[in-house]
Amino acid sequence: MNSSPTIAVTGLHRGENPQPGSAVIRSLRRVYPELRIIGLCYDTLESGLYSEEDAPDAAFTLPYPSAGLEAFWDRLDAIREVERFDVLIPCLDAEMAPLVESPEKLRERGISACLPSWKAFEARDKSKLPDLCERTHCRTPQTVAVNDVSSMHQAAAGFGGSVFVKGRYYEAQLASTPAARESAYWHMLETWGAPVLVQERIEGEEYNVIGIGDGRGHILGSCAIRKMLRTSNGKGFGGMVVRDPQLDAVAQSLIAELRWNGPFELEFVKPDGPKAEYCLIEINPRFPAWCDFPSTLNCNLPAAAVELALGWQPREPLRHATPGKFFIRHAIDMTGDIRDLAALTTTGQLIRASEEPRAKGIEPQTTCSLKS
Amino acid sequence: MSFLPPPTLPKSRHVSPVIPVPPVTNATSFTFRTTTWQADGFGFDATSGEFFTASPTALVVMQCLAAKMTTAQILDRLTSTFDVPRRSAERDLESFLAELEGMGLGKS
């Protein structure tokens, strides 16, 4: 390992469907401002590459998952010839499966990562949530995996017609008519592959819980929010911290059952009514795009993930965020330079010459110097 | 985004108190069920993350409920605080309590 570790982060685009990578970088720099961070991107226009505040120190392009696993590992090896990074924080759903399936490939390269076991990863798959929820006595909407249009219409009819059509890894569309369902089906199939999921629609408030599991059934730290603002495709654009013992208990029971290791996000809907129970919609096996918000409230989960991956003692206990604190996402325009874009496009890498720390403008927590 | 309709007591008119009535507590905020209400009528429920606004009359009713007052005591407080006939206050209170019940915030 390097005397001071280098961290690699993916998922750097913060467009209308923001990815988590830049928020992870921002959180890490709050406590480790000197940390060297490299960005691994699939597209040279990922917005986080050009940010003044949370851009990585260097960036490298990765082949799209469709290029295959061999191309992925070859490229990772080539990148490590230039930047021998020590920790990988994958932030995109589609890249999780190959990493979780073959953690030894990371280990043999000397790369640390906080990843769940394959068994846990599989058990939280959207198509297997009903089994998991039965074991943990947690409610979940009825979900059916389908591989053809006719089965989709049949499943939707059983759920009253108005359903969510969901991609295997990502994305969901509310579809109430046969035409809308069919259009959503083909879109999900083309984008995310088979099967496509048809999920019963449950109306209510949406709650998300972000946290880190220790792999032995405990949650090292977590923060729960109610989504206050949503984009047209249902992504949270604002959230309010809540503290509900019932929600904490449901989250604890799911993570204990899975013996989850590493970052997670649990998504729930709570129907209206005084006796309503939280209903699990999905479990994301990574940090969500809002993961820097709890870091501003002394619950820095990305920093804890790095400490866990490296086997460091945690800096300090992760605190519960105070209910009533909220975030609202704010889109801004950033200025890029054609030379950076050219470097990434032609050579697949961009290494910033600047000596100045890249933590400008980020409100620090108690900062730590890097350990060797 | 969801804002439940603010609890209000319809047809009640807020006027300066005719007879000074001591507050139920001296605190500037009070908790009714899981919602903490400020004196300005803003309420925040830390378990659900929802927030509300309440009219001055609704606030008095919830403050009374939090202090475990009976319906008759609440009516006494309303008629002594606001310029409202007892019969009208009784009707409004009944409707407001039903509204609270519907929101799962009724008397425990």
Side-chain angles (χ1 to χ4, degrees), chain A residues 205 207 226 228 240 242-244 274 323-324, chain B residues 1-2 44 46-51 102 104:
Chain A
E205 290 292 329
Y207 293 84
R226 177 176 69 86
M228 295 163 69
M240 172 79 77
V242 298
R243 190 79 203 276
D244 183 354
Chain B
M1 185 160 56
S2 155
F44 174 62
T47 61
S48 71
E50 291 183 276
F51 45 88

Coordinates of all heavy atoms in Angstrom, one line a residue, chain A residues 205 207 226 228 240 242-244 274 323-324, chain B residues 1-2 44 46-51 102 104:
Chain A
E205 N -45.7 8.4 1.5 CA -44.4 9.1 1.6 C -43.2 8.2 1.4 O -43.3 7.0 1.9 CB -44.4 9.8 3.0 CG -45.4 10.9 3.2 CD -45.0 12.1 2.3 OE1 -43.9 12.4 2.0 OE2 -46.0 12.8 1.9
Y207 N -39.3 7.2 2.2 CA -38.3 7.3 3.2 C -37.0 6.5 2.7 O -37.2 5.4 2.2 CB -38.7 6.8 4.5 CG -39.8 7.6 5.2 CD1 -41.2 7.4 4.8 CD2 -39.5 8.6 6.1 CE1 -42.2 8.2 5.3 CE2 -40.6 9.4 6.6 CZ -41.9 9.2 6.2 OH -42.9 9.9 6.8
R226 N -36.9 11.7 4.9 CA -38.1 11.6 4.1 C -37.9 12.5 2.9 O -37.3 13.6 3.0 CB -39.3 12.2 4.9 CG -40.6 12.3 4.0 CD -41.8 12.8 4.8 NE -41.7 14.2 5.1 CZ -42.1 15.2 4.3 NH1 -42.6 14.9 3.1 NH2 -41.9 16.5 4.7
M228 N -38.4 15.0 0.4 CA -39.3 16.2 0.4 C -39.6 16.7 -1.1 O -40.6 17.2 -1.3 CB -38.6 17.4 1.1 CG -38.4 17.2 2.5 SD -37.2 18.4 3.1 CE -38.1 19.9 2.9
M240 N -35.5 15.4 4.3 CA -35.6 15.9 5.7 C -35.1 14.7 6.6 O -35.7 13.6 6.5 CB -37.0 16.3 6.0 CG -37.3 16.6 7.5 SD -36.7 18.3 7.9 CE -38.0 19.3 7.2
V242 N -35.2 12.3 9.6 CA -36.2 11.8 10.5 C -35.6 10.8 11.5 O -34.5 10.3 11.2 CB -37.4 11.1 9.8 CG1 -38.1 12.0 8.9 CG2 -37.0 9.9 9.1
R243 N -36.2 10.6 12.6 CA -35.8 9.6 13.6 C -37.0 8.9 14.1 O -37.7 9.4 14.9 CB -35.0 10.4 14.7 CG -34.3 9.4 15.7 CD -33.0 9.0 15.1 NE -32.5 7.8 15.6 CZ -31.8 7.7 16.7 NH1 -31.5 8.8 17.4 NH2 -31.4 6.5 17.2
D244 N -37.2 7.7 13.5 CA -38.4 6.9 13.8 C -37.9 5.6 14.3 O -37.3 4.8 13.5 CB -39.3 6.8 12.6 CG -40.6 6.1 13.0 OD1 -40.7 5.5 14.1 OD2 -41.5 6.0 12.1
P274 N -52.5 6.2 10.2 CA -51.8 6.1 11.5 C -51.1 4.8 11.7 O -50.1 4.7 12.4 CB -52.8 6.4 12.5 CG -54.1 6.2 11.8 CD -53.9 6.5 10.4
P323 N -33.0 15.3 13.6 CA -34.2 15.5 12.8 C -34.5 17.0 12.6 O -34.3 17.8 13.5 CB -35.3 14.8 13.7 CG -34.6 13.9 14.5 CD -33.2 14.5 14.8
G324 N -35.0 17.3 11.4 CA -35.2 18.7 11.1 C -34.2 19.3 10.2 O -34.4 20.3 9.6
Chain B
M1 N -43.6 16.1 -2.9 CA -43.7 16.8 -1.6 C -45.1 16.7 -1.1 O -46.0 16.7 -1.9 CB -43.3 18.3 -1.9 CG -43.3 19.1 -0.6 SD -42.3 20.6 -0.9 CE -43.2 21.3 -2.2
S2 N -45.2 16.5 0.2 CA -46.5 16.4 0.7 C -46.7 17.3 1.9 O -46.0 17.4 2.8 CB -46.7 15.0 1.2 OG -47.7 14.9 2.2
F44 N -43.4 20.4 13.6 CA -42.5 19.5 12.9 C -42.6 18.1 13.6 O -42.4 18.0 14.8 CB -41.0 20.0 12.9 CG -40.1 19.0 12.3 CD1 -40.2 18.6 11.0 CD2 -39.0 18.5 13.1 CE1 -39.3 17.7 10.5 CE2 -38.2 17.5 12.6 CZ -38.3 17.1 11.3
A46 N -40.8 14.8 14.0 CA -39.4 14.3 13.8 C -39.4 12.8 13.4 O -38.5 12.3 12.8 CB -38.6 14.4 15.1
T47 N -40.5 12.1 13.6 CA -40.6 10.7 13.2 C -41.0 10.6 11.7 O -40.5 9.6 11.0 CB -41.5 9.8 14.0 OG1 -42.8 10.4 13.9 CG2 -41.1 9.8 15.5
S48 N -41.8 11.5 11.2 CA -42.2 11.4 9.8 C -41.6 12.4 8.9 O -41.6 12.3 7.7 CB -43.8 11.5 9.7 OG -44.1 12.9 10.0
G49 N -40.9 13.4 9.5 CA -40.3 14.4 8.7 C -41.3 15.4 8.1 O -40.9 16.3 7.3
E50 N -42.6 15.3 8.5 CA -43.6 16.2 8.0 C -43.7 17.5 8.8 O -43.4 17.5 10.0 CB -44.9 15.5 7.9 CG -44.9 14.4 6.8 CD -46.2 13.7 6.6 OE1 -46.5 12.8 7.4 OE2 -47.0 14.1 5.7
F51 N -44.1 18.6 8.2 CA -44.3 19.8 8.9 C -45.6 20.4 8.5 O -46.2 20.2 7.5 CB -43.1 20.8 8.7 CG -42.7 20.9 7.3 CD1 -43.3 21.8 6.4 CD2 -41.7 20.1 6.8 CE1 -42.8 22.0 5.1 CE2 -41.2 20.3 5.5 CZ -41.8 21.2 4.6
G102 N -58.7 11.6 12.2 CA -58.4 11.1 10.8 C -57.0 11.2 10.4 O -56.5 10.4 9.6
G104 N -54.7 10.6 12.5 CA -54.0 9.7 13.5 C -53.5 10.5 14.6 O -52.5 10.0 15.3

